[in-house]
């Protein structure tokens, strides 16, 4: 017997209204934990029950997992026919369309789809063919910029025009054009092309567009706040005929700006669809009212948002706990001890707890404390701190200084960063070491005596020679100073800085955290030695032997926590410069701060029953203990929502922005991000090659005009009116503005 759908009595009033409103544009503002997936699936089922053919329904999500879950839930509701609903991701939908009609835009329908590695290979070939300096021009940097251009519908001709007279931007435009030519020649598209080329197909072929407009008369888009420009245009074109477009999202949870997400898509929905109906889902089924009130209080400070107020009928719940630690180590110890206490007194499981933080680098201390306390944990969305590539690379350098017999370490770094030492040369060194019963490093020292390596001998010597200097320095230099020199001499740091990508910035943060670990060891060890440090790290880093548990404490970034929920949540590092981060504070862009505030909102609403916010009065920054000001987000929460006496253990004197240590840290960061991890007091500002009225270019905001320059003592504060992004205030040392001739 064919299954029929009956509207559920468990839907609340707003949910039912969203399900029943089937004609015309609909914006469902679904706050955290308000049951948006339930609404979407019930709405699709209701459409089918009202006689709409499943073939005319499209539902787009952002992950294959979410698409599978939606398809399964709709199937349970309506039974037969649900398999005809087109439920998929943006990329899968576009690939399916292009498989039929790619020939109409100059491709063959059997085109290849290039993944990131394939795309990097194409870029690398271009760099090699044009003899570009790989220390200046990075494949990752080119690829990131090209992806951004495609997501903003900027083609190669527009890119060249936008480059103006900027030499680096002109080179990017040239590489972009050549990259596109190579893909076209290979009948290939990258992931960004799947969306971009589908939009081009729709814009140039009215027949194809009308076919899909007829096919998809009812369109549903989940997580609409995370869409970018090209996705917005794709959706708008599809919905242009029938206007039966239902988008579901929460502008307060838009946290992927760095990936190209454009919050204006959801904020301006009514602008593009004036007849749209807006329904707010505000009843939360996840958290207690104390937690929701805190989240509401924080997010209310954002200006770029659609007002909504989460509420629940699940009770007031526990007041929010907070903890002011003296140091980051104290903070981590307190959280771990609190977990152990709740395990004893509340009968909790390890899986009830999640420790959230702003950056992956912050995980290191929590990992160490969990291991020391024998607490099973799982690092979600990241790699164990000591297993990250950049950390293993630097430890390999330190191991080779300490022990030249460690062949694994020496082989790992002989061409890291790249020195032009190929695998054939490495194999010859290894063979010579084997035949002469010597270490790989000693064989590398003799490279000029090995047959077939004479031409590569100088490059190999550039690897081996610094080790003799570093070993001789062990008696009179600190380990942290040797670490700094490794980064400087090898060019490892400079290579990452030149990439100018999110990934490179995070790797630099991780290297800074490793230096913090070295400094902490130097301060705590009675007689600090390189051997002692490596032994301590080895004991902490050896977590592979931990028994596998399904019951474990979760460690993850706030970005990674989106969509998840836990009974007990700890948000650590609630300090200015950590959360919100320095990049946001000194970007001169209020949108960056609002994005950080949305991230705080996401973190708070992950908690179901208990929430603790913690911060450190002192945090090690580039090897120095710096006074920290409590996060503005913490101060935006009404004090009555916190446990009694929550702030009494803090010192009466509040750390201000004028505190010398904080000011030095601010100036050091503003002068040059990750600049050699030097002491803040060593900072000296560089003279400017531009003045008021000059045209300049910024790597993110593009061209603009300098309207004001103020001497701030340690750096210049520059005001620029950018052509596309308006007025921004920024520190000159951080902004790295380039004068346009």
């Amino acid at each position: 017997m064919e299954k029929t759908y009956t509207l559920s009595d468990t839907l609340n009033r707003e949910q039912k209204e969203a399900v029943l409103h089937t004609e015309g544009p609909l914006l469902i503002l679904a706050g955290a934990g308000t049951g948006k997936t339930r609404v979407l699936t019930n709405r699709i089922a209701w459409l089918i029950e009202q006689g709409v053919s499943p073939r005319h329904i499209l539902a787009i999500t952002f992950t294959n997992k979410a698409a599978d879950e939606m398809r399964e839930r709709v199937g349970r509701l309506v039974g037969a026919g649900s398999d005809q609903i087109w439920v998929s991701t943006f990329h899968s939908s576009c690939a399916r369309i292009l498989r039929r009609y790619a020939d109409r835009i100059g491709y063959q329908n059997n085109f290849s789809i290039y993944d990131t590695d394939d795309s990097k290979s194409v870029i690398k070939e271009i760099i090699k063919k044009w003899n570009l300096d790989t220390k200046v021009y990075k494949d990752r940097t080119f690829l990131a910029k090209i992806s951004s251009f495609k997501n903003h519908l900027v083609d190669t001709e527009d890119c060249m025009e936008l480059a103006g007279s900027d030499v680096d931007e002109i080179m990017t435009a040239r590489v972009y054009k050549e990259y596109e030519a190579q893909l076209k020649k290979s009948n290939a598209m990258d992931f960004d092309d799947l969306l971009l080329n589908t939009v081009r197909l729709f814009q140039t072929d009215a027949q194809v567009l009308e076919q899909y407009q007829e096919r998809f008369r009812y369109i549903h888009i989940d997580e609409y706040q995370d869409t970018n420009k090209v996705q917005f245009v794709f959706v708008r074109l599809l919905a242009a005929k029938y206007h039966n477009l239902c988008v579901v999202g929460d502008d307060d949870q838009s946290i992927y700006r760095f990936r190209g997400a454009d919050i204006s898509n959801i904020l301006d929905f009514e602008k593009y669809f004036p007849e749209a109906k807006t329904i707010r889902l505000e009843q939360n089924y996840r958290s207690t009212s104390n937690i929701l009130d805190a989240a509401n209080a924080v997010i209310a400070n954002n200006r770029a948002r659609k007002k909504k107020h989460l509420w629940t009928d699940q009770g007031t719940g526990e007041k929010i706990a907070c903890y002011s630690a003296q140091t980051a180590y104290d903070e981590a110890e307190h959280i771990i001890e609190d977990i152990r206490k709740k395990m004893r007194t509340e009968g909790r499981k390890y899986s009830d707890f999640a420790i959230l933080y702003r950056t992956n680098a912050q995980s290191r201390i929590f990992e160490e404390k969990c291991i020391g306390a024998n607490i099973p944990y799982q690092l979600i969305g990241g790699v164990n701190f000591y297993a990250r590539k950049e950390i293993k690379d630097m430890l390999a350098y330190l191991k080779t200084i300490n022990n030249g017999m460690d062949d694994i370490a020496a082989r790992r770094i002989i061409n890291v960063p790249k020195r032009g030492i190929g695998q054939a040369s490495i194999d010859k060194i290894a063979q010579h070491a084997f035949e002469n019963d010597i270490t790989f490093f000693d064989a590398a020292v003799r490279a000029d005596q090995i047959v077939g390596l004479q031409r590569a001998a100088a490059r190999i010597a550039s690897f081996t020679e610094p080790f003799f200097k570093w070993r001789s320095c062990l008696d009179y230099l600190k380990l942290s100073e040797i670490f700094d020199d490794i980064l400087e001499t090898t060019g490892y740091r400079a290579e990452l800085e030149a990439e100018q990508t999110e990934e490179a910035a995070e790797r630099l943060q991780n290297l800074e955290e490793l230096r913090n670990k070295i400094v902490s060891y130097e301060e705590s060890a009675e007689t600090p030695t390189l051997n002692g440090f490596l032994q301590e790290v080895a004991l902490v880093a050896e977590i592979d032997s931990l028994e596998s548990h399904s019951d474990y404490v979760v460690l993850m970034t706030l970005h990674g926590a989106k969509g998840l929920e836990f009974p007990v949540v700890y948000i650590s590092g609630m300090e200015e410069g950590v959360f919100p981060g320095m990049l946001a504070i000194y970007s001169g862009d209020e949108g960056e701060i609002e994005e950080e505030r949305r991230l705080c909102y996401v973190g708070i609403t992950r908690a179901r029953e208990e929430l603790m916010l913690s911060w450190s009065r002192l945090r090690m920054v580039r090897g120095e203990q710096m006074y920290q000001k409590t996060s503005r987000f913490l101060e935006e929460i009404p004090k009555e929502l916190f446990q009694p006496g929550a702030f009494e253990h803090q010192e009466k004197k509040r750390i201000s922005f004028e505190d010398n240590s904080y000011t030095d840290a601010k100036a050091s960061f503003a002068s040059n991000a990750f600049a050699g991890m030097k002491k803040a007091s060593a900072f000296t500002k560089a003279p400017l090659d531009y003045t008021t009225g000059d045209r300049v270019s910024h790597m993110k905001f593009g061209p603009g005009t300098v309207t004001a320059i103020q001497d701030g003592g340690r750096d210049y504060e520059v005001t620029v009116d950018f052509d596309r992004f308006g007025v921004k205030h920024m520190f000159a040392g951080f902004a790295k503005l380039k004068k346009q001739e």
Side-chain angles (χ1 to χ4, degrees):
M1 183 176 177
E2 186 173 332
K3 188 173 183 178
T4 58
Y5 168 77
T6 303
L7 189 65
S8 175
D9 291 333
T10 60
L11 294 170
N12 65 38
R13 182 172 60 83
E14 290 77 16
Q15 289 175 333
K16 284 182 180 178
E17 186 180 6
V19 168
L20 298 176
H21 185 87
T22 58
E23 303 302 313
L26 174 63
L27 170 61
I28 303 175
L29 290 173
T34 56
K36 68 179 179 65
T37 304
R38 191 158 175 258
V39 170
L40 266 181
T41 52
N42 275 273
R43 189 175 191 277
I44 292 171
W46 177 254
L47 282 168
I48 295 173
E49 178 62 23
Q50 298 306 299
V52 175
S53 169
R55 291 190 73 260
H56 290 322
I57 299 174
L58 170 67
I60 291 182
T61 66
F62 269 79
T63 67
N64 289 316
K65 180 181 179 182
D68 291 340
E69 180 186 352
M70 185 178 293
R71 193 180 296 109
E72 181 181 332
R73 289 174 70 166
V74 172
R76 289 201 298 266
L77 289 173
V78 303
S82 63
D83 56 332
Q84 296 181 52
I85 304 168
W86 195 328
V87 185
S88 69
T89 64
F90 274 104
H91 289 93
S92 295
S93 296
C94 290
R96 193 167 167 183
I97 293 169
L98 290 170
R99 283 298 178 202
R100 293 190 63 185
Y101 294 112
D103 57 326
R104 301 203 180 191
I105 54 171
Y107 290 83
Q108 296 178 37
N109 292 344
N110 63 342
F111 60 87
S112 299
I113 300 175
Y114 278 6
D115 61 18
T116 302
D117 288 338
D118 296 329
S119 295
K120 281 183 182 177
S121 296
V122 176
I123 298 290
K124 286 178 180 177
E125 283 300 314
I126 295 171
I127 292 172
K128 182 178 179 181
K129 182 171 69 174
W130 290 357
N131 293 317
L132 299 179
D133 186 346
T134 55
K135 293 180 180 179
V136 177
Y137 297 107
K138 306 290 183 182
D139 51 29
R140 290 178 182 173
T141 304
F142 281 133
L143 205 57
K145 289 183 177 180
I146 290 170
S147 178
S148 179
F149 286 136
K150 291 185 177 184
N151 287 331
H152 287 86
L153 294 170
V154 177
D155 62 23
T156 55
E157 299 304 318
D158 292 336
C159 182
M160 184 61 75
E161 186 177 333
L162 288 170
S165 59
D166 188 298
V167 176
D168 290 339
E169 294 304 317
I170 290 172
M171 180 57 72
T172 298
R174 289 182 59 208
V175 171
Y176 181 17
K177 187 172 183 178
E178 180 64 18
Y179 172 76
E180 287 294 272
Q182 290 298 322
L183 260 63
K184 196 71 175 290
K185 181 181 177 182
S186 301
N187 189 37
M189 301 183 195
D190 61 25
F191 283 117
D192 295 320
D193 284 329
L194 296 177
L195 283 154
L196 182 60
N197 285 333
T198 303
V199 167
R200 286 173 176 166
L201 172 66
F202 285 169
Q203 289 175 332
T204 57
D205 196 315
Q207 182 183 6
V208 173
L209 175 59
E210 185 177 10
Q211 176 186 331
Y212 283 100
Q213 288 175 337
E214 285 293 331
R215 170 72 190 272
F216 302 128
R217 300 184 185 185
Y218 294 87
I219 302 169
H220 302 76
I221 311 294
D222 194 12
E223 302 288 2
Y224 191 65
Q225 77 279 349
D226 294 332
T227 55
N228 58 29
K229 184 173 181 179
V230 69
Q231 290 164 339
F232 165 74
V233 174
F234 168 76
V235 170
R236 193 178 177 193
L237 285 167
L238 270 183
K241 185 171 184 178
Y242 288 101
H243 284 215
N244 293 327
L245 171 63
C246 171
V247 301
V248 184
D250 182 5
D251 51 303
D252 290 335
Q253 295 188 74
S254 179
I255 59 173
Y256 296 120
R257 186 181 187 186
F258 66 95
R259 294 181 187 169
D262 188 349
I263 193 173
S264 67
N265 288 349
I266 192 167
L267 293 179
D268 296 339
F269 185 77
E270 293 99 335
K271 173 182 173 183
Y272 295 102
F273 298 94
E275 73 275 33
K277 182 178 180 61
T278 299
I279 297 174
R280 288 171 168 79
L281 303 184
E282 297 172 300
Q283 183 176 357
N284 178 283
Y285 295 93
R286 174 190 299 158
S287 308
T288 62
S289 63
N290 270 330
I291 292 170
L292 296 181
D293 288 346
N296 288 327
V298 170
I299 202 64
N301 291 276
N302 272 7
R303 288 182 294 178
R305 67 182 295 259
K306 291 179 177 294
K307 291 184 179 179
K308 69 182 77 67
H309 188 87
L310 295 181
W311 63 276
T312 184
D313 58 8
Q314 298 189 103
T316 304
E318 296 284 336
K319 286 188 178 292
I320 297 167
C322 67
Y323 182 72
S324 173
Q326 180 68 15
T327 68
Y329 283 92
D330 295 335
E331 178 188 26
E333 281 185 352
H334 180 81
I335 289 174
I336 297 305
E337 182 53 40
D338 195 65
I339 289 173
R340 297 176 72 173
K341 177 183 176 182
K342 284 181 167 57
M343 294 280 290
R344 293 192 305 269
T345 62
E346 299 178 16
R348 296 280 188 185
K349 300 178 296 182
Y350 288 118
S351 57
D352 287 342
F353 302 97
I355 302 173
L356 309 181
Y357 35 80
R358 178 63 183 84
T359 66
N360 275 311
Q362 292 170 255
S363 74
R364 193 263 301 176
I365 296 175
F366 289 108
E367 290 181 68
E368 292 183 3
K369 294 300 180 184
C370 283
I371 292 170
N374 200 28
I375 289 179
Y377 74 92
Q378 183 172 13
L379 191 67
I380 306 294
V383 181
N384 165 17
F385 181 81
Y386 292 103
R388 292 166 187 160
K389 180 186 182 301
E390 59 276 11
I391 303 303
K392 290 176 73 71
D393 287 345
M394 284 304 109
L395 290 178
Y397 271 100
L398 294 174
K399 288 176 182 177
T400 305
I401 295 171
N402 184 62
N403 173 21
M405 298 178 67
D406 190 334
D407 287 358
I408 298 297
R411 289 191 66 155
R412 176 184 180 88
I413 55 175
I414 189 170
N415 199 40
V416 177
K418 289 183 171 60
R419 301 181 174 90
I421 303 172
Q423 189 59 47
S425 297
I426 295 172
D427 291 342
K428 285 186 174 69
I429 296 170
Q431 183 64 28
H432 184 81
F434 174 75
E435 291 173 352
N436 293 275
D437 195 24
I438 59 176
T439 67
F440 179 87
F441 184 84
D442 287 341
V445 172
R446 304 179 188 178
D448 59 344
Q449 304 170 24
I450 300 175
V451 177
L453 283 185
Q454 283 75 14
R455 292 179 62 183
R459 293 192 291 272
I460 296 170
S462 72
F463 163 66
T464 59
E465 287 174 358
F467 284 93
F468 297 103
K469 176 187 72 172
W470 293 325
R471 286 171 184 167
S472 68
C473 293
L474 284 174
D475 292 335
Y476 61 88
L477 284 184
K478 292 181 178 180
L479 297 181
S480 52
E481 293 173 325
I482 292 174
F483 179 81
D484 289 344
D485 196 67
I486 293 171
L487 290 174
E488 187 70 33
T489 301
T490 62
Y492 198 104
R493 181 180 59 244
E495 183 175 84
L496 287 175
E497 286 176 340
E499 284 187 22
Q500 297 182 358
T501 63
E502 291 284 342
E503 180 184 352
E506 185 169 308
R507 292 173 68 189
L508 283 162
Q509 287 179 330
N510 291 335
L511 289 172
E512 181 182 323
E513 183 60 27
L514 179 60
R515 189 183 192 279
N516 291 343
K517 171 65 178 177
I518 294 172
V519 172
S520 296
Y521 167 75
E522 289 172 331
E523 293 175 347
S524 61
E526 186 174 338
T527 307
T529 64
L530 177 55
N531 191 58
F533 171 74
L534 291 171
Q535 177 176 309
E536 181 172 306
V537 167
L539 293 174
V540 171
E542 186 55 53
I543 66 167
D544 292 338
S545 60
L546 283 176
E547 183 182 351
S548 177
H549 291 264
S550 58
D551 185 23
Y552 43 69
V553 174
V554 169
L555 308 182
M556 66 194 313
T557 65
L558 287 150
H559 277 102
K562 186 172 180 288
L564 303 177
E565 58 183 71
F566 305 90
V568 184
V569 167
Y570 301 87
I571 303 180
S572 63
M574 296 293 293
E575 305 139 34
E576 293 287 304
V578 177
F579 189 33
M582 285 290 193
L583 285 169
I585 292 172
Y586 297 113
S587 67
D589 183 358
E590 185 60 27
E592 295 283 356
I593 292 294
E594 295 211 347
E595 176 108 344
E596 294 279 295
R597 187 174 282 111
R598 290 192 292 269
L599 192 57
C600 183
Y601 171 86
V602 166
I604 291 172
T605 54
R606 298 312 95 194
R608 294 208 305 259
E609 300 164 17
E610 297 183 54
L611 173 67
M612 175 184 283
L613 306 176
S614 64
W615 65 97
S616 171
R617 292 186 62 254
L618 288 167
R619 187 173 293 274
M620 192 170 287
V621 179
R622 290 181 274 293
E624 287 190 89
Q625 292 285 3
M626 295 291 186
Y627 283 106
Q628 302 293 101
K629 184 182 187 298
T630 53
S631 170
R632 67 192 72 189
F633 305 148
L634 188 72
E635 296 177 358
E636 289 168 356
I637 300 173
K639 295 297 182 284
E640 60 267 21
L641 295 178
F642 289 101
Q643 292 178 359
F647 294 91
E648 289 178 4
H649 55 282
Q650 299 183 70
E651 289 187 1
K652 293 182 180 179
K653 177 182 178 294
R654 296 298 301 271
I655 306 302
S656 72
F657 278 108
E658 282 66 46
D659 180 272
N660 289 336
S661 297
Y662 188 90
T663 304
D664 284 351
K666 179 181 87 169
S668 176
F669 186 92
S671 67
N672 183 359
F674 320 107
M677 301 172 187
K678 298 174 184 175
K679 293 183 179 180
S681 58
F683 170 68
T684 56
K685 67 185 178 191
L688 303 180
D689 63 352
Y690 52 84
T691 187
T692 303
D694 283 348
R695 295 284 292 171
V696 294
S697 177
H698 185 271
M699 64 180 183
K700 177 177 179 181
F701 300 125
T705 302
V706 178
T707 59
I709 299 176
Q710 182 179 349
D711 190 340
R714 292 179 177 266
D715 197 1
Y716 296 101
E717 296 184 22
V718 183
T719 303
V720 183
D721 187 356
F722 289 103
D723 297 351
R724 295 179 61 194
F725 294 91
V727 176
K728 307 290 181 188
H729 307 279
M730 53 190 65
F731 286 103
F734 175 70
K736 298 181 180 179
L737 298 168
K738 293 184 179 180
K739 183 178 178 180
Q740 293 185 333
E741 300 299 333

